[in-house]
Amino acid sequence: MRALGIDIGTTSISAVVAETGKRELERSFTIANGSFMKTDSPWEKIQDPDSILQTVFKLLEEIFKEYKDIEVIGLTGQMHGIVYLDEEGKHVSPLYTWQDGRGNLPVEDERSICEILEKDFSIKAYSGYGLVTHLYHCKKGLVPEKAVKVCTIMDYLGMRLTGRKTPLMHSSNGAGLGLYDVERNLFHKEILRQNGADTEILPEITDEFTCIGTWRGIPVSVAIGDNQASFLGSVEEAESSVLVNMGTGGQISVLSEKYFTAKGIEARPFVKGYYLLAGSSLCGGRAYACLESFFRSYAEALGVGDIDHYGVMGKLLDKQEKSGSLKVLTTFSGTREHPEKRGTIKNIGTDNFTPEALILGVLEGMASELYKMYGRIQKGLSFPGRKIIASGNGIRKNRHLQEIMSKKFDMYLELAKREEEAAYGAALCGMITAGSLTFGEAVGIR
């Protein structure tokens, strides 16, 4: 038996074919997403659903020409964003992505939706979360006239594959929309109503890994959040492992049977009886990319091109003491709680203001931001973390960051076995749905 996993990422779309017996990844595919739509507003981050679907269906045709025995399809993708749907289950809006900034714009008494929710209702929800976006549209009269439901882009793919006219959304994605009571597994409908939203627009929720229909006779599993899918596809000893993902953003994730939240820590639904405790750094690997861009701009001003700046940065680190004297706070894109916050560089002196010290300081800042979040989880739950599982190209391709992260957490670090972790996790979700695998077997829970 083979399972297919599909991951609709923000910048790329990936798929994997996995054999279910030994859970071996047989082949992976990655295509650029390239669906961002041009806009005059710098805070607006939207993508074209038609472009995304065309890319996915073209990829599916390519895969099914080679693999005739795929027996289940699992789905995942970028969390938080929403698409509006009409009565026929077709989109009537762009995809408003998780990066969209309208939730931080003033709408009422100079306050943003995020500020209204926190100060008036004690609800922490962030710009880019689907229901924050929806409340902004409600306040501004921007909800599409024909809209009757909302869902994520991977739920929409599931609908188009199976012919569903209404979405069935897993609780991992439901919580990702915001205004969701994770402990009770339901939306805060009354708060939505008080802010002018019609709650009939909300999708149906399930907390099971279940089949939503078939495509060409093949069962399609309900889509799950990419954080949950990445954990499922990376971690095989969940009771003692910490997942650290470093891509465009950064993230730390720990599996827990207890519901727990703290500053910067969300409890996200996973399967019945288990939560994924997650903390996210908005800049993450982008902080290192910003530094590379800084060096590249200077080199280009000198008339020097065609240089592997990341390679040069690595060589500089090879001769730098692995204990930085520059203290860099890498909140270059703010934080979930304080989007206006920015980074800092401290302790600059005439003896340490060097490129290599700055490079090291940025890497240590990236690690420190996630370690602080882990510290809150560890303090609250006494989690017995013994090993870091590292995923994402931001850390997979940077041995210096691997060393720094391992030292900061005082844990052994190993790379996730498979590079397309989320797509592979979606395939495993499909296997669990099909009954060929249990959740405990997948993550090593005894």
Side-chain angles (χ1 to χ4, degrees):
M1 179 178 174
R2 289 188 172 96
L4 173 66
I6 302 172
D7 172 26
I8 303 177
T10 311
T11 58
S12 62
I13 296 171
S14 302
V16 302
V17 176
E19 190 272 328
T20 59
K22 296 181 180 179
R23 287 186 272 158
E24 292 181 351
L25 192 156
E26 296 192 13
R27 180 122 180 244
S28 62
F29 307 78
T30 300
I31 299 176
N33 187 324
S35 65
F36 270 108
M37 302 169 69
K38 290 184 179 179
T39 172
D40 294 331
S41 303
W43 46 262
E44 189 171 40
K45 305 295 181 184
I46 56 178
Q47 293 183 327
D48 180 4
D50 277 327
S51 174
I52 292 171
L53 289 180
Q54 288 171 12
T55 300
V56 171
F57 278 97
K58 182 179 179 181
L59 182 58
L60 281 172
E61 292 298 333
E62 178 185 342
I63 293 169
F64 276 84
K65 282 181 183 178
E66 183 173 349
Y67 295 94
K68 309 293 186 183
D69 58 349
I70 290 172
E71 296 189 40
V72 67
I73 299 172
L75 307 174
T76 189
Q78 50 178 297
M79 299 172 70
H80 309 307
I82 57 164
V83 177
Y84 287 97
L85 311 175
D86 65 14
E87 289 183 347
E88 296 300 313
K90 302 295 178 62
H91 71 275
V92 289
S93 76
L95 164 63
Y96 299 94
T97 74
W98 63 276
Q99 296 176 323
D100 194 86
R102 70 195 67 212
N104 291 324
L105 300 179
V107 293
E108 190 176 278
D109 300 326
E110 297 302 313
R111 297 188 302 168
S112 69
I113 294 295
C114 293
E115 289 171 329
I116 291 169
L117 291 173
E118 182 174 7
K119 293 178 181 177
D120 294 355
F121 302 97
S122 299
I123 293 289
K124 267 288 186 184
Y126 307 111
S127 189
Y129 280 31
L131 291 181
V132 171
T133 297
H134 178 55
L135 287 181
Y136 176 88
H137 290 159
C138 290
K139 298 283 188 183
K140 293 289 187 177
L142 297 174
V143 177
E145 184 178 342
K146 294 183 178 180
V148 297
K149 290 290 179 183
V150 294
C151 70
T152 70
I153 188 62
M154 50 277 202
D155 291 302
Y156 185 48
L157 171 60
M159 293 173 64
R160 296 299 297 270
L161 284 171
T162 61
R164 293 182 65 99
K165 291 187 177 182
T166 57
L168 176 61
M169 183 181 290
H170 188 259
S171 54
S172 59
N173 282 327
L177 297 184
L179 282 94
Y180 194 86
D181 187 328
V182 173
E183 282 190 285
R184 297 169 62 202
N185 208 31
L186 46 81
F187 289 105
H188 290 292
K189 290 185 177 181
E190 185 55 36
I191 295 175
L192 286 163
R193 291 190 192 100
Q194 289 182 44
N195 283 278
D198 179 359
T199 57
E200 290 299 314
I201 206 165
L202 297 172
E204 181 185 354
I205 296 293
T206 177
D207 59 359
E208 303 279 359
F209 287 178
T210 189
C211 177
I212 61 169
T214 62
W215 181 71
R216 297 182 179 179
I218 302 168
V220 178
S221 180
V222 66
I224 62 172
D226 60 359
N227 183 201
Q228 288 83 349
S230 292
F231 193 93
L232 199 57
S234 304
V235 177
E236 297 179 356
E237 297 175 1
E239 292 173 317
S240 60
S241 297
V242 179
L243 177 64
V244 170
N245 180 276
M246 193 64 74
T248 303
Q251 195 165 62
I252 183 168
S253 305
V254 167
L255 189 69
S256 172
E257 292 182 75
K258 296 180 180 179
Y259 176 86
F260 173 79
T261 61
K263 181 181 178 182
I265 305 299
E266 293 180 80
R268 296 176 172 176
F270 206 157
V271 297
K272 278 186 177 180
Y274 287 95
Y275 302 96
L276 200 58
L277 308 183
S280 301
S281 57
L282 295 186
C283 206
R286 194 166 18 174
Y288 200 60
C290 285
L291 188 58
E292 185 272 346
S293 178
F294 173 84
F295 290 129
R296 177 160 37 86
S297 295
Y298 184 77
E300 289 173 353
L302 289 174
V304 180
D306 297 323
I307 292 176
D308 175 13
H309 290 283
Y310 285 117
V312 174
M313 291 160 72
K315 289 179 180 178
L316 287 170
L317 282 172
D318 285 336
K319 65 178 185 178
Q320 171 71 12
E321 293 272 342
K322 290 301 185 293
S323 56
S325 52
L326 287 182
K327 305 301 178 185
V328 182
L329 182 63
T330 51
T331 52
F332 300 162
S333 300
T335 66
R336 289 286 193 199
E337 294 79 14
H338 301 287
E340 76 287 349
K341 189 174 182 178
R342 291 297 177 262
T344 60
I345 304 173
K346 294 183 177 181
N347 201 41
I348 300 174
T350 56
D351 59 337
N352 67 1
F353 194 44
T354 64
E356 53 266 39
L358 181 58
I359 297 166
L360 179 61
V362 167
L363 291 180
E364 289 186 330
M366 291 160 60
S368 294
E369 197 172 353
L370 293 182
Y371 180 70
K372 287 179 182 177
M373 297 175 190
Y374 172 70
R376 293 172 192 138
I377 296 173
Q378 217 283 327
K379 182 179 180 181
L381 295 179
S382 298
F383 181 78
R386 293 191 290 272
K387 180 167 61 175
I388 294 172
I389 305 298
S391 68
N393 287 336
I395 191 167
R396 187 180 287 277
K397 296 182 177 181
N398 192 326
R399 63 178 177 84
H400 296 285
L401 180 57
Q402 294 169 26
E403 294 169 5
I404 290 166
M405 199 74 73
S406 179
K407 182 179 179 181
K408 174 65 70 174
F409 281 72
D410 192 25
M411 293 184 200
Y412 171 74
L413 181 147
E414 68 179 42
L415 298 178
K417 293 179 181 178
R418 304 160 189 90
E419 293 195 25
E420 298 301 338
E421 303 93 352
Y424 179 68
L428 292 182
C429 178
M431 295 179 199
I432 295 169
T433 298
S436 61
L437 180 70
T438 67
F439 178 77
E441 289 170 341
V443 299
I445 297 174
R446 293 182 292 277

